[in-house]
Amino acid sequence: MKMGRDWHLLPPELLQVIGNKVTSLADYIRFRAVCHPWQSACSLRPDHLPLQLPWLMPPYPSVGQVVSLQLNPITRATISLPLFSGPLSTIGIVPLHAINPENFFDNSQAHEYSISPTDIVMVRKAILTSSPLDRSCIVFVFTYSVWSLAYCKIGDECWKVIEFEFDFPWGGDFCDITYSNGFLYTVSPFAAVTMYNLNNRSRTLLGGNVNLIGIHLVEGVSGDILLIHDRPIYVNGNLKETEHTVYKLSNDGEPVWIEVIDVGQNVLFLGSDYNALSLSSANLQFPEWGANCLCYDSVRTEKWNPEENFDSWYNHNIKLAKLDNGMVTDITGDLGSFQVNELWQRSLWLTPSLL
């Protein structure tokens, strides 16, 4: 009788060598899941895996279903952060439009920006300056609330509020944020950029020479600040396609936005509002993707009800656009249709990690 191989008896040293040859995060998880000896031999937090292609989280149905997710959908790891309804402090950055900047904090009371436990706070975007395992990591949140922008360090007991007032009737004097080289950047609905220095509590108004609606702010792999203009195309009320233009914030002379068709080694990933990221093509798991391209969730209306947008259905597929020649490739085919609110029709990109 032919005996089966006792794979679970392989020496741990050999299993470690094999595990270190695996470059796909999904394959590495499967490798560790074979049996308990294989799991014990391989690190739970491997540092050899290359930068993985982002995963796509499609929009969830907005009617009759609640989806609960942990912070890290792979490891189930979470970060302890202060309660939104807890105590807060200010960092002393006076709004640019304050009437009496020298007396602003004398006339402001912390309770004006406090959030009660019964208030519902929607986080529009959250960014981290480094790995949350690093105690110096700063978390910035951009919210719908009486304060729209705040931050804290991992381990802090309260949030520090940055923004205090609104300039625009539709809710805020900025519509996206990013972090680069020690500075926080916000961009207004008309592409005016403000740079915040949290060390000396100052802010600087930068370029805003383009008039755009539907924009995403992202840090490039070399530290450049990039702006992606997302322009939906409607035909008879139905969303058919989306066109994109990329701008770079000039560092020469007066800061202005310059339209570019070359973003170097960047591969840009564009999802829902406030969701865009840039990864280096040289470090990606599949470098054959190439550089200087934009990967985006292409959404079109499959069924639209003008009376009630909760009845609308949106079809999704992922496309890759080369920025230099405009060539667009469909890389996934039809991902299916989702019945969602019109405001939440897009998907969300996340970078998988076991760290």
Side-chain angles (χ1 to χ4, degrees):
M1 183 175 64
K2 186 176 181 180
M3 299 292 293
R5 293 183 176 88
D6 294 326
W7 294 108
H8 66 285
L9 297 179
L10 289 175
E13 297 80 5
L14 178 58
L15 292 171
Q16 292 173 7
V17 171
I18 298 173
N20 288 337
K21 299 294 184 180
V22 179
T23 59
S24 164
L25 182 144
D27 288 343
Y28 187 83
I29 294 175
R30 296 186 187 102
F31 183 82
R32 293 187 74 250
V34 169
C35 59
H36 182 72
W38 288 33
Q39 184 182 74
S40 301
C42 297
S43 172
L44 179 62
R45 291 195 169 99
D47 56 9
H48 75 280
L49 293 175
L51 184 64
Q52 304 289 299
L53 284 174
W55 291 4
L56 191 71
M57 182 184 299
Y60 59 86
S62 58
V63 180
Q65 183 177 0
V66 176
V67 178
S68 177
L69 295 173
Q70 301 292 332
L71 177 69
N72 188 326
I74 302 173
T75 65
R76 303 299 184 185
T78 59
I79 305 173
S80 296
L81 297 175
L83 294 174
F84 287 136
S85 58
L88 54 84
S89 65
T90 67
I91 64 169
I93 296 182
V94 178
L96 293 169
H97 47 276
I99 298 176
N100 298 308
E102 64 277 3
N103 299 320
F104 181 83
F105 292 103
D106 294 336
N107 299 326
S108 297
Q109 302 296 324
H111 71 268
E112 296 180 13
Y113 313 107
S114 63
I115 300 173
S116 70
T118 58
D119 290 339
I120 297 176
V121 179
M122 180 180 293
V123 176
R124 302 160 84 179
K125 184 173 184 177
I127 55 177
L128 286 72
T129 59
S130 61
S131 166
L133 299 177
D134 183 353
R135 299 297 294 181
S136 65
C137 174
I138 299 176
V139 181
F140 293 94
V141 290
F142 170 25
T143 75
Y144 289 108
S145 69
V146 292
W147 45 263
S148 52
L149 182 61
Y151 79 97
C152 71
K153 283 188 176 181
I154 301 294
D156 281 356
E157 297 182 354
C158 67
W159 292 98
K160 294 182 176 64
V161 177
I162 298 177
E163 290 290 333
F164 298 92
E165 298 175 351
F166 293 142
D167 273 348
F168 297 101
W170 54 85
D173 51 4
F174 59 93
C175 61
D176 205 354
I177 63 174
T178 193
Y179 182 86
S180 177
N181 296 324
F183 296 94
L184 178 70
Y185 295 83
T186 65
V187 61
S188 77
F190 298 101
V193 176
T194 303
M195 180 179 71
Y196 300 80
N197 186 331
L198 303 184
N199 293 323
N200 61 18
R201 300 186 175 186
S202 66
R203 70 174 81 194
T204 305
L205 188 63
L206 303 178
N209 59 306
V210 291
N211 187 357
L212 305 173
I213 297 295
I215 51 181
H216 305 258
L217 198 63
V218 65
E219 178 194 11
V221 294
S222 60
D224 295 326
I225 303 300
L226 303 175
L227 187 73
I228 307 172
H229 180 212
D230 181 4
R231 187 173 73 87
I233 300 174
Y234 291 89
V235 178
N236 298 325
N238 292 326
L239 178 61
K240 292 297 183 182
E241 186 52 271
T242 305
E243 292 184 347
H244 304 94
T245 307
V246 179
Y247 298 83
K248 181 172 71 173
L249 189 63
S250 169
N251 294 322
D252 299 327
E254 181 181 356
V256 293
W257 290 112
I258 301 174
E259 183 177 342
V260 295
I261 59 172
D262 185 359
V263 292
Q265 293 296 312
N266 289 283
V267 180
L268 305 177
F269 293 86
L270 186 62
S272 62
D273 291 343
Y274 325 117
N275 176 235
L277 58 92
S278 176
L279 300 178
S280 170
S281 62
N283 298 329
L284 273 177
Q285 178 187 3
F286 301 108
E288 62 270 17
W289 266 41
N292 195 36
C293 58
L294 172 68
C295 186
Y296 63 97
D297 177 14
S298 177
V299 183
R300 71 177 187 273
T301 306
E302 183 171 285
K303 176 186 176 183
W304 181 60
N305 185 346
E307 301 295 330
E308 176 57 73
N309 61 19
F310 283 105
D311 288 339
S312 298
W313 289 77
Y314 297 92
N315 184 272
H316 294 254
N317 66 326
I318 307 305
K319 294 186 177 181
L320 186 70
K322 294 291 186 180
L323 296 178
D324 52 358
N325 58 20
M327 184 175 66
V328 178
T329 305
D330 187 341
I331 61 175
T332 62
D334 192 346
L335 293 179
S337 300
F338 300 89
Q339 183 184 18
V340 294
N341 185 306
E342 183 180 15
L343 298 176
W344 307 104
Q345 64 192 12
R346 296 286 197 83
S347 301
L348 176 70
W349 292 101
L350 59 90
T351 306
S353 173
L354 292 175
L355 299 178

